Amino acid sequence: MFTTNQSTLNYPYQNADLKISERIEDLLQRMSVYEKIGQMTQLDITLINTTGKQKDVILDPEKARDLIRNHHIGSFLNGEAVKPGTWYRFMSELTRIAVEETRLGIPVIYGIDHIHGASYLEGATIFPQSINLGATFDPKHAHNAGWVTAAESFDIGHHWIFAPVLDLGANPLWPRFWETYGEDPYLASLMGSANVEGVQKNDDIRPLKQAATGKHFLGYSDPRHGWDRTPAHLSMQQIHEFHRPSFQKAIDAGLKTIMTNSGEINGVPVVASHDILTKLLRDEMGFEGVVITDWDDIGKLVDLHYTAGNYKEAVYSAVQAGIDMSMTPEHLEFNKSLLELVDEGRITEERIDQSVLRILKLKFELGLFENPFPRDDRFHRIGHPENRQKAFEAAKDSIVLLKNDGNLLPAKQSKRIGLFGISANSKRNLSSGWTIAWQGGKEERYPVHMHTIYTALGEEFPETEIKLFTKDDVPDAKTITDSEKKRFVNKLNSFDLLIFAGGEEPYCEFTGNISDLSLPKDQLNLLKLISGSETPVVLILVQGRPRIITELIDDLDAVIHAGLPGFEGAKAIAEVISGKVNPVGKLPFSYPMHPNYLVPYNHKKSNLYSFDPEKANRIVKTNDSPSLFPFGHGLSYTTFSYSELKLSSEAIRQNGSIKATLTVTNTGSRAGTETVLWFISTHVGRITRPVKELKHFEKAHLHPGESKTVEWMITPETLSYPDENGRKIIEKQSYSLIVNGLKRDFKME
Ligand code: GLC
């Protein structure tokens, strides 16, 4: 048996007193080319576990030994939710092989999709998905999600978190829309960088660190036809203005790794694009960390994009474009091809060293050489009540009250509530994908303590009979006769309130591709049926993207967008319905009016060419966009008024600024939190400008009758936007400051 006891070796790279750069230099010159290429390779857990199935986190030591000792593989990924002890044993054995049974003892780094809490760890705290965190307009929640994820997953040996998704939620058809923070680049920038800091600057795991991953770089989220990994056509100016900011802010916050967009932009797959991965990401945006491909992105150059005739050519173009590590992840072709390319001199060892240096730097910075092994003495932190409370706070702040006719909500303590819909008694629908398993787990795998909307309402309304209507209890809308309909509707008249919890079942990536954003027909039909009764109807939308409900919006008394609120979400929903929680959430996206009319709030002026607002069936009168509910919309159980919007001057000079002030008043009868959204509208621009752009937001917590003056400094930087080369343009133009319908004009001199 080949073993080395690392403690007997005293190479400089093992000396923690030396600078990381010195340790890397020493280690690199000791490595063979094949050992270096092994560090550039990430393989899936199915190649090292006993069954070849994602769900089995049980190491097959022989498989692991072969890959680590003979092929020097430096990274692995994936798995499913198992107990902490199971991960601990798996990572302990995997790490022991790497650090004790190899010539140089380089520790492995394990990557995993804990995107909203340690989602592949049984008992972990699970936050709302990012689309809900965007709805809070509070970076604190994104920071907490990152922090808790790191605190709960670090000890079991997960040092590389494949989050946050920094893609812009530009296309609500896209099946990964719910993984984004919504359609605004400024909001996504603040939320994404806060999450990165929560993961990477977590004192609970100090002096060690965990790496976050900005993904999927870039322009992945706006495929022309809405389906996952299909072509996007984006000008470089659009990329700089809309898709770059969230990555840039995360990089400026110290982001350690980036994952590539598997798709193509303008005919060039990102993984093969030197312009994107080197000129833009490294030279212009200053990223110095590790770039890993997404799942088999190199293989996709051969069998999806057909830009490489064979796998070896695909490796060549990806490495030349600038990737550092290949998420290969189910074979060894990457290693073998790259070794051949180096032997042939088509790829230099200097190029290999460039990537291996970054990978080793990552491992040294995370402290893996000093502390490679997991630990099992702090599992009590997993799912800790304080962590779950943070997730609960985020869930409560993420619920958006879209409509509330006649102040139906908060619901009085009724006698009888009828509860319908696919999400009424579902745990899995509350979190969708990347939870317990890639596509979401089976219902029975969710925590026993976790509420569904049904059980949470039961707790919130203890004196009320809540009748759960299962599929069998409701007539088939397709075959129902008039007399059956009459009987059924009469039955519903005996209830005080009807709640329909619908939306979407879990999906992840391409399994969520759809060709119609409308709420599915069976749900629309049942909603129409129950709306035929005299009893008021509340629709709760548990969904990853805004399914269209325009055709029946007038029949609904109240609508709640619950999104994907996570494991604490049902309780948050129930407390909004009971009024214990005064809803705070605002839409981080424009809620579309029609399936083929998907227009974001920051659309161009020409988007409204021939648009007739009178014909638009818009519920929100202040809505100035062609949506059913506009970006930033969200009702409260109190009311707020905005007044006295003032500017300290009507002109900004080159190095100057002007102060904007505004008074917000709680004009209702209960305390509430208002999110004040400050927009800038540019009147004329060399490059067409969005009708308005979110530039600042803040919270105002107000008691009834209380007023608060909020203020914000506008600078020339605020007014800048990028040209096609990413260079900032500041134009001496006239502008408007817009806040909740109030407007003040000013100009740049
Ligand atoms: C997937 C996803 C990516 C994820 C990776 C590893 O294809 O695109 O977001 O991190 O594979 O699971």
Side-chain angles (χ1 to χ4, degrees):
M1 166 100 115
F2 171 92
T3 58
T4 52
N5 178 344
Q6 293 308 317
S7 60
T8 58
L9 303 175
N10 54 2
Y11 295 138
Y13 74 87
Q14 291 162 313
N15 178 353
D17 297 333
L18 291 182
K19 282 196 288 200
I20 287 181
S21 55
E22 294 167 329
R23 300 177 75 180
I24 292 171
E25 189 182 347
D26 174 62
L27 179 50
L28 211 47
Q29 51 95 20
R30 296 178 190 282
M31 295 171 74
S32 69
V33 171
Y34 200 48
E35 284 174 325
K36 292 176 181 177
I37 289 172
Q39 288 300 310
M40 296 173 69
T41 309
Q42 183 181 69
L43 298 182
D44 190 60
I45 186 174
T46 50
L47 272 64
I48 53 173
N49 71 4
T50 50
T51 64
K53 291 190 174 63
Q54 280 292 337
K55 65 181 178 59
D56 295 317
V57 183
I58 306 159
L59 193 76
D60 178 325
E62 283 323 303
K63 288 183 189 172
R65 197 163 276 124
D66 171 52
L67 290 171
I68 294 173
R69 276 179 41 191
N70 302 334
H71 300 282
H72 318 295
I73 305 303
S75 181
F76 296 89
L77 81 149
N78 262 347
E80 286 191 6
V82 294
K83 294 186 183 341
T86 306
W87 271 118
Y88 172 75
R89 284 187 294 281
F90 179 87
M91 289 308 301
S92 298
E93 185 49 19
L94 182 67
T95 301
R96 199 197 57 71
I97 292 171
V99 300
E100 292 177 7
E101 291 191 23
T102 62
R103 191 171 70 84
L104 295 167
I106 301 172
V108 295
I109 183 166
Y110 204 88
I112 195 151
D113 293 286
H114 292 325
I115 70 166
H116 61 135
S119 29
Y120 288 168
L121 172 60
E122 241 177 72
T125 301
I126 300 299
F127 276 72
Q129 294 286 9
S130 291
I131 198 65
N132 278 59
L133 298 186
T136 69
F137 282 82
D138 189 341
K140 167 192 72 187
H141 293 308
H143 188 274
N144 284 345
W147 186 284
V148 168
T149 300
E152 296 193 1
S153 66
F154 182 82
D155 285 356
I156 55 173
H158 294 169
H159 303 113
W160 191 359
I161 304 301
F162 289 153
V165 169
L166 297 173
D167 299 307
L168 192 70
N171 187 331
L173 256 180
W174 188 51
R176 306 192 70 170
F177 185 78
W178 50 266
E179 296 182 58
T180 75
Y181 293 107
E183 71 188 24
D184 179 72
Y186 176 69
L187 174 63
S189 304
L190 293 190
M191 301 301 284
S193 54
N195 182 263
V196 167
E197 296 201 341
V199 170
Q200 297 189 163
K201 297 179 180 168
N202 185 321
D203 290 341
D204 287 350
I205 60 176
R206 211 177 25 182
L208 304 173
K209 290 190 177 70
Q210 201 172 48
T213 311
K215 67 184 190 179
H216 307 76
F217 190 78
L218 88 169
Y220 175 37
S221 56
D222 197 7
R224 169 160 293 178
H225 304 296
W227 279 30
D228 182 31
R229 291 178 166 88
T230 55
H233 303 269
L234 299 164
S235 69
M236 277 313 292
Q237 196 280 329
Q238 282 175 296
I239 284 176
H240 286 299
E241 180 161 3
F242 297 102
H243 297 273
R244 171 175 171 174
S246 52
F247 286 93
Q248 188 67 67
K249 188 131 176 90
I251 289 167
D252 297 347
L255 180 67
K256 290 185 182 295
T257 74
I258 282 259
M259 187 184 294
T260 57
N261 162 11
S262 306
E264 63 153 275
I265 300 177
N266 308 330
V268 180
V270 166
V271 156
S273 171
H274 186 268
D275 283 347
I276 298 269
L277 294 186
T278 298
K279 280 194 192 150
L280 174 59
L281 178 58
R282 301 238 186 243
D283 303 345
E284 289 180 43
M285 297 175 70
F287 181 64
E288 296 177 348
V290 172
V291 172
I292 182 170
T293 73
D294 198 345
W295 188 275
D296 187 28
D297 277 4
I298 292 175
K300 288 182 173 68
L301 297 180
V302 180
D303 58 23
L304 179 67
H305 300 299
Y306 293 88
T307 55
N310 57 56
Y311 192 85
K312 183 173 165 184
E313 287 314 308
V315 171
Y316 176 77
S317 63
V319 173
Q320 290 300 75
I323 66 122
D324 295 314
M325 190 184 289
S326 161
M327 185 190 296
T328 300
E330 296 174 315
H331 53 70
L332 286 168
E333 286 316 301
F334 173 76
N335 311 53
K336 291 174 183 164
S337 303
L338 187 47
L339 185 59
E340 281 173 26
L341 289 163
V342 174
D343 290 347
E344 294 159 8
R346 291 181 62 197
I347 288 188
T348 64
E349 190 161 356
E350 288 67 34
R351 171 63 190 87
I352 300 296
D353 286 354
Q354 204 181 32
S355 291
V356 178
L357 184 149
R358 293 173 184 139
I359 294 163
L360 294 178
K361 183 167 180 284
L362 177 67
K363 292 185 175 184
F364 277 116
E365 282 178 348
L366 297 184
L368 293 184
F369 280 82
E370 278 61 56
N371 294 278
F373 286 95
R375 50 189 286 186
D376 62 352
D377 59 338
R378 299 189 299 190
F379 287 173
H380 61 276
R381 302 187 331 172
I382 297 167
H384 192 281
E386 284 172 15
N387 295 344
R388 286 184 54 195
Q389 181 60 28
K390 288 185 177 126
F392 182 47
E393 293 304 324
K396 286 191 285 186
D397 283 0
S398 76
I399 307 299
V400 185
L401 179 59
L402 294 177
K403 185 183 181 194
N404 190 22
D405 281 2
N407 294 320
L408 171 70
L409 296 178
K412 297 157 192 57
Q413 287 292 339
S414 325
K415 291 194 202 58
R416 299 187 73 216
I417 292 178
L419 180 59
F420 302 78
I422 59 169
S423 303
N425 199 29
S426 164
K427 294 180 181 179
R428 60 196 309 265
N429 287 13
L430 293 165
S431 293
S432 199
W434 303 120
T435 310
I436 294 185
W438 178 43
Q439 297 293 327
K442 288 190 172 46
E443 193 72 14
E444 58 272 16
R445 290 181 67 183
Y446 288 74
V448 172
H449 66 67
M450 181 179 172
H451 273 300
T452 65
I453 292 173
Y454 175 50
T455 60
L457 285 171
E459 263 199 12
E460 205 53 34
F461 294 88
E463 311 301 317
T464 302
E465 179 209 341
I466 298 178
K467 160 74 179 146
L468 176 65
F469 284 79
T470 64
K471 225 175 166 58
D472 303 336
D473 300 326
V474 296
D476 182 339
K478 286 196 279 294
T479 58
I480 189 170
T481 62
D482 286 349
S483 59
E484 285 165 342
K485 188 185 283 190
K486 202 169 163 48
R487 260 200 313 281
F488 183 67
V489 165
N490 278 336
K491 193 161 89 171
L492 298 184
N493 288 338
S494 66
F495 288 89
D496 304 298
L497 185 65
L498 301 175
I499 298 176
F500 187 102
E504 296 183 313
E505 312 236 53
Y507 53 85
C508 198
E509 300 186 69
F510 48 86
T511 65
N513 286 339
I514 53 173
S515 48
D516 182 349
L517 194 56
S518 304
L519 189 69
K521 213 84 195 112
D522 57 339
Q523 295 189 53
L524 287 170
N525 291 337
L526 180 51
L527 266 165
K528 279 179 195 150
L529 186 58
I530 69 173
S531 304
S533 78
E534 300 303 312
T535 308
V537 176
V538 179
L539 170 61
I540 302 173
L541 290 161
V542 178
Q543 57 188 8
R545 56 196 155 188
R547 304 307 291 261
I548 312 281
I549 55 171
T550 306
E551 65 182 272
L552 44 74
I553 188 69
D554 295 330
D555 305 331
L556 302 170
D557 301 275
V559 181
I560 290 173
H561 175 79
L564 298 172
F567 284 14
E568 313 301 332
K571 196 167 172 352
I573 294 166
E575 293 196 4
V576 165
I577 290 178
S578 74
K580 192 177 285 178
V581 169
N582 185 358
V584 176
K586 302 277 183 191
L587 287 180
F589 53 81
S590 305
Y591 205 109
M593 198 180 308
H594 303 296
N596 301 323
Y597 194 47
L598 310 177
V599 183
Y601 91 89
N602 49 4
H603 58 74
K604 299 303 178 75
K605 294 179 174 79
S606 58
N607 277 108
L608 295 185
Y609 178 66
S610 82
F611 172 72
D612 178 353
E614 293 316 309
K615 288 208 184 93
N617 168 20
R618 295 188 304 185
I619 307 302
V620 183
K621 292 313 160 206
T622 58
N623 179 2
D624 55 2
S625 80
S627 58
L628 183 65
F629 298 105
F631 173 88
H633 173 70
L635 301 176
S636 167
Y637 291 145
T638 187
T639 50
F640 298 97
S641 74
Y642 287 57
S643 58
E644 296 172 45
L645 176 61
K646 292 182 187 141
L647 292 172
S648 58
S649 162
E650 290 186 355
I652 297 185
R653 289 188 180 69
Q654 198 57 33
N655 299 318
S657 64
I658 54 175
K659 182 159 82 170
T661 55
L662 167 78
T663 300
V664 186
T665 304
N666 181 337
T667 49
S669 57
R670 66 175 283 180
T673 299
E674 174 66 334
T675 305
V676 181
L677 304 175
W678 302 77
F679 296 92
I680 292 285
S681 173
T682 305
H683 295 174
V684 175
R686 173 170 79 75
I687 296 169
T688 56
R689 303 283 74 235
V691 291
K692 65 182 185 180
E693 302 166 71
L694 180 68
K695 293 288 186 180
H696 177 65
F697 56 83
E698 62 197 288
K699 302 283 183 179
H701 311 281
L702 297 168
H703 292 288
E706 183 184 2
S707 291
K708 181 181 180 186
T709 299
V710 290
E711 61 182 53
W712 171 47
M713 298 306 285
I714 303 172
T715 66
E717 174 71 16
T718 314
L719 309 176
S720 69
Y721 66 92
D723 66 10
E724 52 281 1
N725 301 310
R727 267 191 289 283
K728 284 205 166 87
I729 298 174
I730 299 178
E731 291 175 309
K732 295 191 174 180
Q733 274 302 336
S734 57
Y735 300 84
S736 295
L737 171 65
I738 301 168
V739 192
N740 195 36
L742 299 180
K743 199 157 93 165
R744 287 291 176 275
D745 290 352
F746 62 96
K747 59 180 184 288
M748 173 80 201
E749 285 180 344

